[in-house]
Structures are given as C-alpha cells and as structure tokens.
C-alpha cells in the first residue's frame, strides 16, 4: 500500500518538519489538527491542508495519521481519536508502540533520530528514520514512505528505540553539557569558548570514518598522571566538574587497561 | 624581528605539521633534530632541511627553535640544548613557560589548540595558536610568525594555557568517551553506531553559532522524570554508565534551576 494522503496531528517541531518533507515528495497533507489553532493554521497553510481544532472532525480515511505531539500527550490523544481506517504512527523516541493497542487497529512508529526545530526545516535524506508497525503490511507501507524521504530507514523495536534515545543522551545531551562545562571553566579565566570550536568540530568529525574506541586522546588514555594531577588542582573551585573529571578519567584508565580503548 | 629561519626539534605529529606549515608561508627550515633518525630524515627531506641527530650539532643562529617533543621530554631537551641566539619555544598545552628560564635566554610557547597527526597535514588558517614569550620583543616575533599562519592568534599565559587544555579535555576527550559509551550501549542491542552520526554532527555544529548554555536538550533539561527513570532501568547492566548518567542528570537539573541552562 502506498501512503498518499496524510493527516498531521500536532503543530510543533516534528509536525512542521515532517509535513513539509511529505509535501516535498508529493504526498498530500489533507488535514492538520492541533489544539493550538494559531500554529495549526500556520502549518496547514504552509502545506496546503485543511486545518481543524476539534479532533472529532478528523478525516476518517487518510492513509496515515502522524501523531507528532509531546510524549506526555500521546496517550491522551490516542484515547480521544475517532475510529480511522489508516495507520496511526507516533514520532517519539521513548514511547512504546503498545500505547496504541487498545484503541487503534493499524498503528506504528515513525521516529526521526534528529533534533528538529520548526525554525529550521531540514532535509531528511541522510537522517535515520526508525520505523515499527503492528503488522507486516503496515510496516511495508511506512517503509515505503520513509524510503522516499531518507536512505537511512531502520526497522527498530520499541525497546531498541529507547536504547537509541538513551545512547543519544550520552552522545549528544551529555556532550553539550561537556561543552557547557568547558565554557564555564574558560569564562572564569577570561578565555573565549570560541577558541575550542575547531577542536570540538574536529572531534565530532572524526567519528564519520572511525569508531570512537579508536579515537580516544588526552591525558587519561596516555596515563599522563602529572597533567591529570594538575587538572584536578585547577578544578578546586568546581567540585562537581572535579567529580566528573575523576569519574571519566578512571573509566578511561579501566577501558584502556581492558584494551577497549 | 621577522623570524625567517627555523629549526625543528622533534619529528612527531606537531613537528611535522608545523614544519610543513612554516615552509608553506616561505620560512626556511634550516634543520630538523630528532633522536629518531628515520623520522627526522623523512621530515628533513619533506621540508628541505638538514637533518641532525646530535643535539650538540644544532645551528646556533636560527631565529626560532621549535621544541615539538612530548611533554615529558621537554625539560631534558631544554637541559641538553647548546647556547643559541634565537627564540626557543615549546608547543605543549600543559608545560609552563618557566621550564626554559634556567637555561635559555630568549624563549616562549607556540601552542596550536588542535589535535595534530603526522598522517594528516592540516591547514592552520582557522586554528587557534596560543603564544607566550619571556619579553615583548620575543612575543612580537612569535606573534608575527603565528599571524602569518592563522587568523586566530591568542596571547595566553601558562596558567590560561593549562585551563584551555583542561577545558579541551571536557569538550573533546570526555566527549569522545561519551561517543564510546553510546557505541557500547548500541552494540549490546545490535544497533549500529552510525545511526547516531547525524545527530552527533548536528550537536557539535550548533556551537558554531551559539553558546552551549542555550543549546541543552534532552530529558534532564525538560525534567522528564518518566524517561529518566526508564533510562536508569535500561542501564542496569552498565553500573559505571549509570553513575555518569545520574551525575550528568543531577548537574543539568541544578544548572537548569539556577537558570544557567
């Protein structure tokens, strides 16, 4: 089954990016529903769709209903859905697909593994799209649509999707906190964070071609105890950062000793 | 004073990159010294320099002696230097400039804030070069040379240089460990690390235009306790990663509460 007619539920970052992307590949967005009438109207206009603010008025026969609302709202929206004939798919990294099972006949997940912002419409071509569905037919329908958007389509279970989300917390959210810590330390010594930018971009760029297990650098992996001792001294006014420094340094020692790094 | 004639001491990653860069901007590399005769010979040939393996044979009147050896070796090499008339500058992020003071008349530091590899000759134009010298005349000489290589020349004290190095440990070395942890977790669940690459590159790319304090995303900054609890459960077989998860999550809570994030 080819999905040609899509309803968008939600008007936030994911809703906007997916609606625009679906339009671009020639799919019809028949309707946008959101409780936020202003945002719904704006998105509907952008993609040439009807705009509704009463969920009971949803068209019943679209091929796909994209549920792009916040994690906390998914269950409530599912419960308030009228009976529809198409596939209903949410776009969350952490909500299990089983959220649909009591209420919906055909369902799945359509999760783009990327930070999306309504202010910056992205190109999905290289973005991993993680899909899951309640049966093979629905899976193939979602797969067909996803493949038209991206060459990185992955069939991923609810448990695996949570693991992806968890690993992104380490690789991206905690990494941003590392950047923040670096900026804080620099600020206290009147140094601009911009000085670190080339090295940060290089560090991220290197994982395009190699495993991070082969790319570890720094005093810990060299077991440069003199530098480490000095760094711990320099962190005397940052007790939390010192704790992180010690934890990471010990972990690098351990992984180096077991030849994992 | 314009530095036109340079001696390179060392034949490793930094030595190779700086020697090639100096040649490119028309400086003469008169001599390469290294205890590793093979690597010294190779580098000397590459940059059209004489190669020596006895430090006593160093030319005495070059404008600059770049001491690009490992941190641990700097002091020994300084002690074995013959008396020379030019500036002697090391290239380390963590060794204080005072390492020279007992032995050398004109000295300084020429520290590129970038990971360098002999296998990949880089372009220095956007790379921060941190310089320091024992007097204004020598500082200006180093500044002139550095400015010919890069538009990011910074005068940085020994203490500030250590701070830069420490902040790079957080922003780059620990970040790579975050990537490693993500890869480990994914591997255990038969998911390829490559799926995270677009998001990792996006996370790093965003700091080009903004402060990390404005870019924090993820369950911790949203105080999404349901997702956090689930992540902690998923980490039950990774006690060390769970410790890091808790530490970072608590720190994000705290920084969010104090409006630093």
């Amino acid at each position: 089954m080819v999905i040609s007619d899509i309803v968008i539920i939600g008007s936030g970052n994911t809703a906007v990016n997916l609606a625009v992307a679906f339009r671009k590949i020639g799919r019809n967005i028949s309707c946008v529903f959101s409780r936020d009438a202003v945002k719904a109207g704006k998105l509907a206009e952008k993609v040439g769709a009807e705009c509704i603010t009463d969920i009971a008025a949803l068209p019943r026969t679209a091929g796909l209903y994209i549920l792009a609302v916040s994690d906390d709202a998914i269950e409530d929206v599912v419960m308030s859905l009228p009976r529809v004939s198409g596939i209903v798919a949410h776009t969350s990294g952490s909500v299990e697909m089983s959220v649909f099972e009591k209420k919906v006949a055909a369902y799945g997940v359509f999760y783009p593994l990327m930070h999306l912002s309504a202010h910056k419409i992205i190109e999905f071509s290289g973005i991993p799209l993680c899909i899951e569905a309640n049966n093979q037919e629905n899976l193939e329908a979602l797969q067909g649509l996803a493949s038209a958007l991206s060459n990185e389509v992955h069939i991923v279970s609810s448990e695996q999707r949570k693991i992806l989300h968890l690993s992104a917390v380490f690789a991206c959210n905690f990494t941003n906190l590392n950047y923040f810590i670096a900026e804080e330390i620099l600020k206290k010594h009147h140094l601009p964070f911009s000085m670190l930018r080339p090295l940060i971009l290089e560090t991220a760029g290197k994982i395009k071609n190699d495993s991070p297990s082969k790319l570890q650098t720094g005093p810990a992996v060299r077991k440069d105890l003199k530098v480490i001792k000095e760094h711990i001294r320099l962190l005397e006014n940052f007790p939390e950062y010192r704790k992180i420094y010690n934890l990471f340094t010990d972990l690098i020692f351990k992984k180096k000793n077991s030849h994992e790094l």
Side-chain angles (χ1 to χ4, degrees), chain A:
Chain A
M1 189 192 74
V2 173
I3 296 168
S4 56
D5 183 21
I6 301 171
V7 167
I8 303 286
I9 299 172
S11 55
N13 300 322
T14 305
V16 171
N17 271 281
L18 283 179
V20 171
F22 290 144
R23 274 301 298 138
K24 249 194 219 158
I25 55 163
R27 264 43 171 200
N28 178 43
I29 311 293
S30 56
C31 174
V32 172
F33 161 78
S34 168
R35 273 174 284 202
D36 185 328
V38 176
K39 283 167 79 185
K42 224 173 122 186
L43 176 55
E45 202 189 317
K46 200 180 190 117
V47 296
E50 188 196 355
C51 168
I52 63 168
T53 53
D54 173 13
I55 200 162
L58 272 190
R60 303 298 202 262
T61 58
L64 176 64
Y65 296 77
I66 286 282
L67 200 60
V69 299
S70 70
D71 287 7
D72 286 345
I74 290 176
E75 202 170 345
D76 282 354
V77 176
V78 168
M79 287 307 156
S80 65
L81 280 178
R83 184 183 300 261
V84 297
S85 61
I87 303 167
V88 185
H90 74 61
T91 59
S92 160
S94 17
V95 176
E96 290 177 24
M97 184 173 68
S98 60
V99 70
F100 294 113
E101 73 192 357
K102 285 185 200 149
K103 179 79 187 187
V104 182
Y107 54 86
V109 177
F110 197 97
Y111 169 54
L113 185 46
M114 178 47 66
H115 181 254
L116 300 173
S117 159
H119 305 294
K120 194 186 155 206
I121 300 298
I122 68 155
E123 191 52 59
F124 278 94
S125 57
I127 305 301
L129 296 176
C130 306
I131 59 166
E132 186 180 8
N134 69 319
N135 65 33
Q136 188 60 26
E137 189 193 352
N138 294 335
L139 189 68
E140 282 168 16
L142 290 180
Q143 201 167 15
L145 179 66
S147 303
L149 282 186
S150 170
N151 47 4
E152 283 283 334
V153 179
H154 300 265
I155 299 167
V156 159
S157 71
S158 286
E159 187 77 2
Q160 282 180 314
R161 189 158 31 83
K162 281 187 200 172
I163 289 292
L164 277 166
H165 190 227
L166 170 62
S167 67
V169 168
F170 279 95
C172 301
N173 303 153
F174 292 171
T175 285
N176 188 71
L177 194 70
N178 280 337
Y179 300 159
F180 170 85
I181 291 171
E183 187 181 37
E184 280 275 293
I185 295 172
L186 289 171
K187 233 191 264 171
K188 282 266 159 51
H189 294 84
H190 314 292
L191 287 161
F193 178 65
S194 60
M195 287 182 75
L196 277 185
R197 285 195 178 125
L199 196 54
I200 285 175
L201 294 173
E202 212 245 354
T203 303
K206 280 195 294 187
I207 58 110
K208 276 192 271 189
N209 309 313
D210 228 332
S211 156
S213 62
K214 292 178 189 158
L215 297 169
Q216 191 62 49
T217 56
V221 81
R222 288 196 309 270
K223 292 209 178 161
D224 189 336
L225 299 179
K226 206 171 141 193
V227 166
I228 292 168
K229 203 178 148 193
E230 181 66 4
H231 283 171
I232 291 169
R233 180 190 73 77
L234 290 168
L235 289 169
E236 61 190 348
N237 295 320
F238 297 102
E240 283 142 334
Y241 303 164
R242 188 185 262 186
K243 223 164 147 181
I244 291 174
Y245 190 96
N246 284 325
L247 199 57
F248 272 73
T249 297
D250 288 345
L251 189 55
I252 293 171
F253 284 165
K254 200 179 149 186
K255 296 291 178 189
K256 174 80 176 167
N257 282 343
S258 61
H259 305 290
E260 290 170 82
L261 282 177

PDB file of all heavy atoms in Angstrom, chain A residues 105-134:
ATOM      1  N   ALA A 105      -6.580   0.256  15.263  1.00  0.00           N
ATOM      2  CA  ALA A 105      -6.458  -1.024  14.548  1.00  0.00           C
ATOM      3  C   ALA A 105      -5.128  -1.156  13.813  1.00  0.00           C
ATOM      4  O   ALA A 105      -4.468  -2.194  13.867  1.00  0.00           O
ATOM      5  CB  ALA A 105      -7.608  -1.164  13.550  1.00  0.00           C
ATOM      6  N   ALA A 106      -4.714  -0.106  13.121  1.00  0.00           N
ATOM      7  CA  ALA A 106      -3.471  -0.144  12.333  1.00  0.00           C
ATOM      8  C   ALA A 106      -2.547   0.931  12.887  1.00  0.00           C
ATOM      9  O   ALA A 106      -2.902   2.103  12.920  1.00  0.00           O
ATOM     10  CB  ALA A 106      -3.773   0.132  10.864  1.00  0.00           C
ATOM     11  N   TYR A 107      -1.350   0.518  13.351  1.00  0.00           N
ATOM     12  CA  TYR A 107      -0.512   1.541  14.011  1.00  0.00           C
ATOM     13  C   TYR A 107       0.973   1.238  13.855  1.00  0.00           C
ATOM     14  O   TYR A 107       1.373   0.139  13.428  1.00  0.00           O
ATOM     15  CB  TYR A 107      -0.900   1.690  15.486  1.00  0.00           C
ATOM     16  CG  TYR A 107      -0.883   0.419  16.291  1.00  0.00           C
ATOM     17  CD1 TYR A 107       0.287  -0.046  16.885  1.00  0.00           C
ATOM     18  CD2 TYR A 107      -2.051  -0.328  16.490  1.00  0.00           C
ATOM     19  CE1 TYR A 107       0.293  -1.216  17.647  1.00  0.00           C
ATOM     20  CE2 TYR A 107      -2.052  -1.489  17.235  1.00  0.00           C
ATOM     21  CZ  TYR A 107      -0.872  -1.925  17.822  1.00  0.00           C
ATOM     22  OH  TYR A 107      -0.862  -3.079  18.560  1.00  0.00           O
ATOM     23  N   GLY A 108       1.754   2.235  14.226  1.00  0.00           N
ATOM     24  CA  GLY A 108       3.202   2.089  14.126  1.00  0.00           C
ATOM     25  C   GLY A 108       3.925   3.295  14.690  1.00  0.00           C
ATOM     26  O   GLY A 108       3.336   4.123  15.398  1.00  0.00           O
ATOM     27  N   VAL A 109       5.221   3.348  14.395  1.00  0.00           N
ATOM     28  CA  VAL A 109       6.077   4.446  14.877  1.00  0.00           C
ATOM     29  C   VAL A 109       6.892   4.952  13.695  1.00  0.00           C
ATOM     30  O   VAL A 109       7.320   4.165  12.832  1.00  0.00           O
ATOM     31  CB  VAL A 109       7.006   3.961  16.013  1.00  0.00           C
ATOM     32  CG1 VAL A 109       7.945   5.082  16.462  1.00  0.00           C
ATOM     33  CG2 VAL A 109       6.197   3.441  17.194  1.00  0.00           C
ATOM     34  N   PHE A 110       7.105   6.254  13.661  1.00  0.00           N
ATOM     35  CA  PHE A 110       7.870   6.900  12.605  1.00  0.00           C
ATOM     36  C   PHE A 110       8.770   7.916  13.305  1.00  0.00           C
ATOM     37  O   PHE A 110       8.394   9.074  13.506  1.00  0.00           O
ATOM     38  CB  PHE A 110       6.891   7.585  11.634  1.00  0.00           C
ATOM     39  CG  PHE A 110       7.470   7.948  10.297  1.00  0.00           C
ATOM     40  CD1 PHE A 110       7.292   7.114   9.196  1.00  0.00           C
ATOM     41  CD2 PHE A 110       8.191   9.132  10.113  1.00  0.00           C
ATOM     42  CE1 PHE A 110       7.803   7.446   7.945  1.00  0.00           C
ATOM     43  CE2 PHE A 110       8.715   9.469   8.872  1.00  0.00           C
ATOM     44  CZ  PHE A 110       8.525   8.620   7.779  1.00  0.00           C
ATOM     45  N   TYR A 111       9.951   7.450  13.742  1.00  0.00           N
ATOM     46  CA  TYR A 111      10.809   8.254  14.633  1.00  0.00           C
ATOM     47  C   TYR A 111      12.057   8.727  13.906  1.00  0.00           C
ATOM     48  O   TYR A 111      12.931   7.936  13.583  1.00  0.00           O
ATOM     49  CB  TYR A 111      11.188   7.399  15.855  1.00  0.00           C
ATOM     50  CG  TYR A 111      12.273   7.964  16.746  1.00  0.00           C
ATOM     51  CD1 TYR A 111      12.181   9.245  17.289  1.00  0.00           C
ATOM     52  CD2 TYR A 111      13.389   7.198  17.099  1.00  0.00           C
ATOM     53  CE1 TYR A 111      13.171   9.753  18.115  1.00  0.00           C
ATOM     54  CE2 TYR A 111      14.380   7.687  17.941  1.00  0.00           C
ATOM     55  CZ  TYR A 111      14.263   8.968  18.442  1.00  0.00           C
ATOM     56  OH  TYR A 111      15.245   9.458  19.272  1.00  0.00           O
ATOM     57  N   PRO A 112      12.162  10.030  13.641  1.00  0.00           N
ATOM     58  CA  PRO A 112      13.392  10.552  13.031  1.00  0.00           C
ATOM     59  C   PRO A 112      14.437  10.789  14.128  1.00  0.00           C
ATOM     60  O   PRO A 112      14.169  11.499  15.096  1.00  0.00           O
ATOM     61  CB  PRO A 112      12.962  11.893  12.420  1.00  0.00           C
ATOM     62  CG  PRO A 112      11.527  12.123  12.844  1.00  0.00           C
ATOM     63  CD  PRO A 112      11.167  11.096  13.874  1.00  0.00           C
ATOM     64  N   LEU A 113      15.606  10.183  13.988  1.00  0.00           N
ATOM     65  CA  LEU A 113      16.650  10.321  15.014  1.00  0.00           C
ATOM     66  C   LEU A 113      17.453  11.594  14.735  1.00  0.00           C
ATOM     67  O   LEU A 113      18.590  11.562  14.253  1.00  0.00           O
ATOM     68  CB  LEU A 113      17.551   9.077  14.999  1.00  0.00           C
ATOM     69  CG  LEU A 113      18.628   8.962  16.072  1.00  0.00           C
ATOM     70  CD1 LEU A 113      18.084   9.290  17.444  1.00  0.00           C
ATOM     71  CD2 LEU A 113      19.250   7.593  16.082  1.00  0.00           C
ATOM     72  N   MET A 114      16.826  12.725  15.039  1.00  0.00           N
ATOM     73  CA  MET A 114      17.445  14.026  14.797  1.00  0.00           C
ATOM     74  C   MET A 114      16.729  15.057  15.646  1.00  0.00           C
ATOM     75  O   MET A 114      15.538  14.903  15.920  1.00  0.00           O
ATOM     76  CB  MET A 114      17.327  14.386  13.304  1.00  0.00           C
ATOM     77  CG  MET A 114      17.879  15.734  12.869  1.00  0.00           C
ATOM     78  SD  MET A 114      19.524  16.182  13.482  1.00  0.00           S
ATOM     79  CE  MET A 114      20.568  14.972  12.689  1.00  0.00           C
ATOM     80  N   HIS A 115      17.463  16.067  16.061  1.00  0.00           N
ATOM     81  CA  HIS A 115      16.845  17.188  16.752  1.00  0.00           C
ATOM     82  C   HIS A 115      16.163  18.078  15.716  1.00  0.00           C
ATOM     83  O   HIS A 115      16.815  18.567  14.804  1.00  0.00           O
ATOM     84  CB  HIS A 115      17.908  17.967  17.531  1.00  0.00           C
ATOM     85  CG  HIS A 115      17.348  19.119  18.273  1.00  0.00           C
ATOM     86  ND1 HIS A 115      17.524  20.428  17.878  1.00  0.00           N
ATOM     87  CD2 HIS A 115      16.553  19.162  19.373  1.00  0.00           C
ATOM     88  CE1 HIS A 115      16.883  21.213  18.715  1.00  0.00           C
ATOM     89  NE2 HIS A 115      16.295  20.492  19.623  1.00  0.00           N
ATOM     90  N   LEU A 116      14.849  18.241  15.866  1.00  0.00           N
ATOM     91  CA  LEU A 116      14.106  19.011  14.867  1.00  0.00           C
ATOM     92  C   LEU A 116      13.639  20.336  15.449  1.00  0.00           C
ATOM     93  O   LEU A 116      13.295  20.426  16.629  1.00  0.00           O
ATOM     94  CB  LEU A 116      12.894  18.203  14.379  1.00  0.00           C
ATOM     95  CG  LEU A 116      13.234  16.854  13.719  1.00  0.00           C
ATOM     96  CD1 LEU A 116      11.965  16.065  13.426  1.00  0.00           C
ATOM     97  CD2 LEU A 116      14.053  17.044  12.455  1.00  0.00           C
ATOM     98  N   SER A 117      13.627  21.357  14.618  1.00  0.00           N
ATOM     99  CA  SER A 117      13.153  22.670  15.042  1.00  0.00           C
ATOM    100  C   SER A 117      12.279  23.257  13.941  1.00  0.00           C
ATOM    101  O   SER A 117      12.630  23.206  12.761  1.00  0.00           O
ATOM    102  CB  SER A 117      14.342  23.590  15.310  1.00  0.00           C
ATOM    103  OG  SER A 117      13.921  24.937  15.244  1.00  0.00           O
ATOM    104  N   ALA A 118      11.135  23.810  14.349  1.00  0.00           N
ATOM    105  CA  ALA A 118      10.223  24.401  13.358  1.00  0.00           C
ATOM    106  C   ALA A 118      10.882  25.569  12.627  1.00  0.00           C
ATOM    107  O   ALA A 118      10.499  25.911  11.512  1.00  0.00           O
ATOM    108  CB  ALA A 118       8.947  24.869  14.054  1.00  0.00           C
ATOM    109  N   HIS A 119      11.896  26.166  13.265  1.00  0.00           N
ATOM    110  CA  HIS A 119      12.558  27.330  12.666  1.00  0.00           C
ATOM    111  C   HIS A 119      13.590  26.940  11.614  1.00  0.00           C
ATOM    112  O   HIS A 119      14.156  27.788  10.951  1.00  0.00           O
ATOM    113  CB  HIS A 119      13.240  28.164  13.746  1.00  0.00           C
ATOM    114  CG  HIS A 119      12.302  28.573  14.829  1.00  0.00           C
ATOM    115  ND1 HIS A 119      11.253  29.436  14.598  1.00  0.00           N
ATOM    116  CD2 HIS A 119      12.200  28.203  16.129  1.00  0.00           C
ATOM    117  CE1 HIS A 119      10.575  29.601  15.711  1.00  0.00           C
ATOM    118  NE2 HIS A 119      11.117  28.862  16.655  1.00  0.00           N
ATOM    119  N   LYS A 120      13.881  25.653  11.557  1.00  0.00           N
ATOM    120  CA  LYS A 120      14.911  25.230  10.608  1.00  0.00           C
ATOM    121  C   LYS A 120      14.438  23.934   9.942  1.00  0.00           C
ATOM    122  O   LYS A 120      14.571  22.854  10.502  1.00  0.00           O
ATOM    123  CB  LYS A 120      16.232  24.994  11.378  1.00  0.00           C
ATOM    124  CG  LYS A 120      17.435  24.883  10.472  1.00  0.00           C
ATOM    125  CD  LYS A 120      18.664  24.509  11.287  1.00  0.00           C
ATOM    126  CE  LYS A 120      19.679  23.813  10.418  1.00  0.00           C
ATOM    127  NZ  LYS A 120      20.562  22.922  11.177  1.00  0.00           N
ATOM    128  N   ILE A 121      13.857  24.069   8.767  1.00  0.00           N
ATOM    129  CA  ILE A 121      13.338  22.911   8.044  1.00  0.00           C
ATOM    130  C   ILE A 121      14.521  22.106   7.509  1.00  0.00           C
ATOM    131  O   ILE A 121      15.381  22.643   6.812  1.00  0.00           O
ATOM    132  CB  ILE A 121      12.435  23.386   6.869  1.00  0.00           C
ATOM    133  CG1 ILE A 121      11.265  24.211   7.416  1.00  0.00           C
ATOM    134  CG2 ILE A 121      11.942  22.197   6.048  1.00  0.00           C
ATOM    135  CD1 ILE A 121      10.340  23.482   8.338  1.00  0.00           C
ATOM    136  N   ILE A 122      14.578  20.829   7.868  1.00  0.00           N
ATOM    137  CA  ILE A 122      15.742  20.051   7.444  1.00  0.00           C
ATOM    138  C   ILE A 122      15.421  19.158   6.251  1.00  0.00           C
ATOM    139  O   ILE A 122      14.274  18.875   5.927  1.00  0.00           O
ATOM    140  CB  ILE A 122      16.327  19.201   8.591  1.00  0.00           C
ATOM    141  CG1 ILE A 122      15.359  18.078   8.996  1.00  0.00           C
ATOM    142  CG2 ILE A 122      16.729  20.042   9.777  1.00  0.00           C
ATOM    143  CD1 ILE A 122      16.074  16.913   9.626  1.00  0.00           C
ATOM    144  N   GLU A 123      16.493  18.722   5.648  1.00  0.00           N
ATOM    145  CA  GLU A 123      16.486  17.756   4.563  1.00  0.00           C
ATOM    146  C   GLU A 123      16.598  16.375   5.235  1.00  0.00           C
ATOM    147  O   GLU A 123      17.535  16.137   5.985  1.00  0.00           O
ATOM    148  CB  GLU A 123      17.739  18.062   3.726  1.00  0.00           C
ATOM    149  CG  GLU A 123      17.835  17.390   2.406  1.00  0.00           C
ATOM    150  CD  GLU A 123      16.599  17.599   1.569  1.00  0.00           C
ATOM    151  OE1 GLU A 123      16.242  18.752   1.265  1.00  0.00           O
ATOM    152  OE2 GLU A 123      15.996  16.565   1.223  1.00  0.00           O
ATOM    153  N   PHE A 124      15.666  15.464   4.987  1.00  0.00           N
ATOM    154  CA  PHE A 124      15.699  14.174   5.690  1.00  0.00           C
ATOM    155  C   PHE A 124      16.586  13.121   5.023  1.00  0.00           C
ATOM    156  O   PHE A 124      16.736  12.024   5.561  1.00  0.00           O
ATOM    157  CB  PHE A 124      14.276  13.613   5.839  1.00  0.00           C
ATOM    158  CG  PHE A 124      13.515  14.205   7.001  1.00  0.00           C
ATOM    159  CD1 PHE A 124      12.680  15.297   6.829  1.00  0.00           C
ATOM    160  CD2 PHE A 124      13.655  13.672   8.282  1.00  0.00           C
ATOM    161  CE1 PHE A 124      11.996  15.853   7.892  1.00  0.00           C
ATOM    162  CE2 PHE A 124      12.972  14.216   9.360  1.00  0.00           C
ATOM    163  CZ  PHE A 124      12.139  15.315   9.157  1.00  0.00           C
ATOM    164  N   SER A 125      17.173  13.453   3.887  1.00  0.00           N
ATOM    165  CA  SER A 125      17.806  12.385   3.088  1.00  0.00           C
ATOM    166  C   SER A 125      18.813  11.519   3.846  1.00  0.00           C
ATOM    167  O   SER A 125      18.836  10.312   3.669  1.00  0.00           O
ATOM    168  CB  SER A 125      18.434  12.977   1.827  1.00  0.00           C
ATOM    169  OG  SER A 125      19.358  13.970   2.193  1.00  0.00           O
ATOM    170  N   GLY A 126      19.667  12.099   4.714  1.00  0.00           N
ATOM    171  CA  GLY A 126      20.645  11.268   5.437  1.00  0.00           C
ATOM    172  C   GLY A 126      20.241  10.966   6.871  1.00  0.00           C
ATOM    173  O   GLY A 126      21.022  10.397   7.631  1.00  0.00           O
ATOM    174  N   ILE A 127      19.034  11.365   7.250  1.00  0.00           N
ATOM    175  CA  ILE A 127      18.595  11.240   8.648  1.00  0.00           C
ATOM    176  C   ILE A 127      18.004   9.855   8.906  1.00  0.00           C
ATOM    177  O   ILE A 127      17.111   9.410   8.182  1.00  0.00           O
ATOM    178  CB  ILE A 127      17.512  12.309   8.952  1.00  0.00           C
ATOM    179  CG1 ILE A 127      18.012  13.713   8.609  1.00  0.00           C
ATOM    180  CG2 ILE A 127      17.038  12.216  10.399  1.00  0.00           C
ATOM    181  CD1 ILE A 127      19.237  14.157   9.340  1.00  0.00           C
ATOM    182  N   PRO A 128      18.472   9.167   9.972  1.00  0.00           N
ATOM    183  CA  PRO A 128      17.884   7.858  10.274  1.00  0.00           C
ATOM    184  C   PRO A 128      16.399   7.974  10.635  1.00  0.00           C
ATOM    185  O   PRO A 128      16.029   8.768  11.488  1.00  0.00           O
ATOM    186  CB  PRO A 128      18.704   7.375  11.488  1.00  0.00           C
ATOM    187  CG  PRO A 128      19.964   8.171  11.462  1.00  0.00           C
ATOM    188  CD  PRO A 128      19.582   9.497  10.877  1.00  0.00           C
ATOM    189  N   LEU A 129      15.579   7.207   9.943  1.00  0.00           N
ATOM    190  CA  LEU A 129      14.160   7.118  10.278  1.00  0.00           C
ATOM    191  C   LEU A 129      13.918   5.723  10.842  1.00  0.00           C
ATOM    192  O   LEU A 129      14.190   4.714  10.176  1.00  0.00           O
ATOM    193  CB  LEU A 129      13.305   7.346   9.024  1.00  0.00           C
ATOM    194  CG  LEU A 129      13.419   8.734   8.385  1.00  0.00           C
ATOM    195  CD1 LEU A 129      12.595   8.812   7.097  1.00  0.00           C
ATOM    196  CD2 LEU A 129      12.964   9.834   9.359  1.00  0.00           C
ATOM    197  N   CYS A 130      13.433   5.666  12.081  1.00  0.00           N
ATOM    198  CA  CYS A 130      13.228   4.383  12.755  1.00  0.00           C
ATOM    199  C   CYS A 130      11.745   4.052  12.694  1.00  0.00           C
ATOM    200  O   CYS A 130      10.922   4.788  13.235  1.00  0.00           O
ATOM    201  CB  CYS A 130      13.674   4.465  14.208  1.00  0.00           C
ATOM    202  SG  CYS A 130      15.363   5.065  14.353  1.00  0.00           S
ATOM    203  N   ILE A 131      11.436   2.946  12.056  1.00  0.00           N
ATOM    204  CA  ILE A 131      10.021   2.609  11.913  1.00  0.00           C
ATOM    205  C   ILE A 131       9.693   1.267  12.561  1.00  0.00           C
ATOM    206  O   ILE A 131      10.550   0.398  12.744  1.00  0.00           O
ATOM    207  CB  ILE A 131       9.570   2.609  10.432  1.00  0.00           C
ATOM    208  CG1 ILE A 131      10.409   1.603   9.638  1.00  0.00           C
ATOM    209  CG2 ILE A 131       9.663   3.996   9.818  1.00  0.00           C
ATOM    210  CD1 ILE A 131       9.809   1.308   8.286  1.00  0.00           C
ATOM    211  N   GLU A 132       8.440   1.139  12.912  1.00  0.00           N
ATOM    212  CA  GLU A 132       7.926  -0.048  13.587  1.00  0.00           C
ATOM    213  C   GLU A 132       6.427  -0.061  13.266  1.00  0.00           C
ATOM    214  O   GLU A 132       5.827   1.002  13.071  1.00  0.00           O
ATOM    215  CB  GLU A 132       8.142   0.127  15.104  1.00  0.00           C
ATOM    216  CG  GLU A 132       7.801  -1.075  15.942  1.00  0.00           C
ATOM    217  CD  GLU A 132       8.036  -0.826  17.450  1.00  0.00           C
ATOM    218  OE1 GLU A 132       8.319   0.317  17.847  1.00  0.00           O
ATOM    219  OE2 GLU A 132       7.904  -1.794  18.210  1.00  0.00           O
ATOM    220  N   ALA A 133       5.818  -1.247  13.177  1.00  0.00           N
ATOM    221  CA  ALA A 133       4.373  -1.285  12.916  1.00  0.00           C
ATOM    222  C   ALA A 133       3.775  -2.548  13.509  1.00  0.00           C
ATOM    223  O   ALA A 133       4.493  -3.502  13.840  1.00  0.00           O
ATOM    224  CB  ALA A 133       4.089  -1.211  11.416  1.00  0.00           C
ATOM    225  N   ASN A 134       2.454  -2.573  13.615  1.00  0.00           N
ATOM    226  CA  ASN A 134       1.796  -3.708  14.269  1.00  0.00           C
ATOM    227  C   ASN A 134       1.661  -4.926  13.372  1.00  0.00           C
ATOM    228  O   ASN A 134       1.335  -6.011  13.851  1.00  0.00           O
ATOM    229  CB  ASN A 134       0.421  -3.297  14.831  1.00  0.00           C
ATOM    230  CG  ASN A 134      -0.591  -2.992  13.736  1.00  0.00           C
ATOM    231  OD1 ASN A 134      -0.234  -2.375  12.741  1.00  0.00           O
ATOM    232  ND2 ASN A 134      -1.823  -3.435  13.919  1.00  0.00           N
TER     233      ASN A 134
END
